[in-house]
Amino acid sequence: MSTLWMDIEADAFGISRRNEYVFQVSHYIYRYESRLDHCIRDLTELIEKISSHAPDHEVVLCLGHHSNFRYGVFPQYKSNRRGIQKAACYNELREYLQRHYSTAVLANVEADDVLGVMYQEGDLLYSPDKDLRTIAGAHLLPNGEVMIVPELEANRAFYKQVLCGDSSDGYGGCPGIGAAHKCFSSEEWLTCSTEHEFWLFVQKRYALNAGRIKEKYGDADPLKVSLQMARCARILRRNEYDFDNERPVLWQGPS
């Protein structure tokens, strides 16, 4: 039976935050309340809605591990989120999911990595995170439509992410290059068709910005920084996880 792999963490986090309230119980006292029952209700409703679009697929919820290899690759990874407080009931909500649904967790990686590693032909992927478009395959949208991401477009999305970085994840990419940068409309970029060509394009851009990279990252080697950014951006794919040793296979660039 084919599988619907669901990256559920972002939805669970959002629902848990929407179901927390502050009450004023006296002139000087405020009380904070986090409603696990409401979270379970809303998240169950969402899971049932998404899974109803794929009745012939087994549903597996993907969750991230408490340890993340990207912190070792780039210590500032997601440092901008360290002050964000989770809802008081979030851990209990996660435990509820693990007790009542089929779930998948792989040591040292994030939930979207689990999707990328486990996906195979015939399966479906669901994630509210646009970054998962770097994985080629069949993506189930919230409205029930299925979007096919070809391998070329998945690679294009990945290498663009290496250049642009992701401010929400705390890695900056190549200084001065954003999503609308003119390099992405150049013939050189638009005619890239292999991973080797994309990677050469990326490395060239980092080399051209060596001075700003030294200023931003404190590292004079732009190619080393480009590899760090690529490992942050890379959602793991099949054969990029070592199950025997429970760790990812670090991306080395195309051979």
Side-chain angles (χ1 to χ4, degrees):
M1 189 176 188
S2 298
T3 303
L4 166 58
W5 302 98
M6 293 185 65
D7 176 3
I8 201 63
E9 282 200 328
D11 289 316
F13 182 84
I15 284 173
S16 67
R17 291 297 299 268
R18 290 195 295 272
N19 284 296
E20 54 183 0
Y21 313 95
V22 174
F23 299 95
Q24 183 176 3
V25 296
S26 72
H27 187 68
Y28 294 104
I29 298 175
Y30 291 79
R31 180 173 296 160
Y32 173 64
E33 181 173 274
S34 184
R35 292 294 300 266
L36 177 60
D37 54 342
H38 290 183
C39 294
I40 291 171
R41 177 198 64 199
D42 294 349
L43 195 54
T44 299
E45 188 176 289
L46 174 67
I47 294 169
E48 290 177 351
K49 177 183 177 182
I50 299 300
S51 60
S52 70
H53 299 311
D56 297 328
H57 288 67
E58 177 187 3
V59 176
V60 177
L61 307 183
C62 299
L63 299 166
H65 191 251
H66 62 81
S67 180
N68 185 344
F69 78 97
R70 292 178 179 87
Y71 298 133
V73 170
F74 185 62
Q76 294 79 28
Y77 183 74
K78 289 189 175 178
S79 59
N80 54 328
R81 300 191 190 184
R82 288 172 189 167
I84 298 176
Q85 182 176 337
K86 294 179 180 178
C89 71
Y90 179 79
N91 289 337
E92 285 72 19
L93 179 61
R94 179 185 164 106
E95 290 174 4
Y96 175 89
L97 294 176
Q98 292 180 295
R99 288 196 306 270
H100 292 87
Y101 292 91
S102 294
T103 58
V105 180
L106 295 178
N108 301 309
V109 302
E110 299 178 51
D112 48 10
D113 294 310
V114 179
L115 273 73
V117 168
M118 301 303 294
Y119 177 81
Q120 54 187 323
E121 188 175 354
D123 291 346
L124 289 170
L125 299 168
Y126 166 80
S127 174
D129 189 345
K130 62 177 177 58
D131 294 348
L132 207 72
R133 302 298 185 266
T134 63
I135 299 295
H139 294 253
L140 181 64
L141 305 181
N143 64 3
E145 294 181 12
V146 175
M147 178 177 68
I148 304 299
V149 176
E151 184 174 4
L152 174 61
E153 294 311 310
N155 289 335
R156 190 181 303 279
F158 164 63
Y159 288 101
K160 184 174 183 178
Q161 191 86 330
V162 178
L163 283 167
C164 296
D166 188 335
S167 59
S168 66
D169 281 343
Y171 66 96
C174 188
I177 296 185
H181 193 275
K182 63 182 181 180
C183 72
F184 297 121
S185 59
S186 69
E187 183 178 0
E188 185 181 4
W189 170 258
L190 295 174
T191 55
C192 287
S193 60
T194 67
E195 287 207 73
H196 183 69
E197 291 171 345
F198 278 118
W199 186 226
L200 286 177
F201 182 95
V202 168
Q203 290 182 312
K204 179 180 176 181
R205 290 291 161 178
Y206 272 85
L208 289 171
N209 285 277
R212 296 179 69 180
I213 286 170
K214 169 66 174 176
E215 181 180 341
K216 183 178 180 68
Y217 297 110
D219 196 313
D221 185 350
L223 299 185
K224 176 184 173 183
V225 174
S226 70
L227 186 59
Q228 281 183 304
M229 297 298 107
R231 288 174 173 173
C232 287
R234 182 76 168 187
I235 294 179
L236 301 181
R237 302 180 182 183
R238 289 190 69 187
N239 303 318
E240 294 183 0
Y241 188 81
D242 181 349
F243 285 90
D244 291 334
N245 295 296
E246 295 188 311
R247 63 188 182 191
V249 178
L250 288 180
W251 192 78
Q252 301 293 339
S255 56

